[in-house]
Amino acid sequence: LQKILILLHVTTCVVVGKTMMILFPNAMKRYILKQGEKSRMNKNPKFSYENWGPTFFSFKYLLFVLKVKWKRLEDEAFEGHPAPNTPVVTFNGEVCHLFDFIQDNRPLILNFGSCT
């Protein structure tokens, strides 16, 4: 049921967005550029609006957003419920799951950080 609701929501957004791009191309370009500022896409001089702007609201965009949103349904953690066995990628590029790292009765500790 959740996947159907996500499908309907994303499809509606893409149809409305594509229609707006056809009817009001300049306004939509300004809107998309504003969205690009949030993610800093427009800061890269080698990656102009013409490279990524028209891909918004395309069929590939629809499929990508659906894939991401459906995948996130599996990764939700709720207080008092078991943790999800999320896929992880090792430094060697091997895909395994989080629970593969559990040893005996020892707790598994995840440490997230940044080198910036």
Side-chain angles (χ1 to χ4, degrees):
L1 180 61
Q2 287 179 319
K3 284 188 175 184
I4 292 172
L5 292 174
I6 290 171
L7 173 66
L8 291 173
H9 178 258
V10 172
T11 303
T12 302
C13 291
V14 169
V15 168
V16 169
K18 192 65 162 179
T19 304
M20 297 294 283
M21 283 182 83
I22 292 168
L23 296 176
F24 309 103
N26 292 331
M28 286 303 289
K29 181 177 180 178
R30 286 192 306 270
Y31 172 76
I32 291 170
L33 284 171
K34 192 167 190 100
Q35 296 303 311
E37 288 175 13
K38 291 180 183 178
S39 65
R40 294 188 278 173
M41 263 198 261
N42 60 345
K43 300 293 183 193
N44 185 344
K46 296 181 182 178
F47 198 52
S48 66
Y49 170 81
E50 286 71 24
N51 292 336
W52 56 271
T55 65
F56 274 63
F57 309 117
S58 66
F59 185 68
K60 284 186 178 182
Y61 173 86
L62 169 72
L63 294 178
F64 176 76
V65 173
L66 284 175
K67 181 181 173 183
V68 169
K69 288 187 174 277
W70 286 348
K71 188 68 179 160
R72 286 187 182 163
L73 285 176
E74 301 168 10
D75 292 341
E76 290 185 10
F78 299 97
E79 186 176 343
H81 291 73
N85 192 14
T86 305
V88 292
V89 180
T90 66
F91 287 117
N92 300 338
E94 178 187 345
V95 177
C96 51
H97 287 82
L98 198 58
F99 293 171
D100 295 340
F101 297 96
I102 294 176
Q103 297 177 0
D104 301 321
N105 254 354
R106 297 172 56 191
L108 178 65
I109 298 173
L110 302 176
N111 184 13
F112 298 93
S114 173
C115 295
T116 57

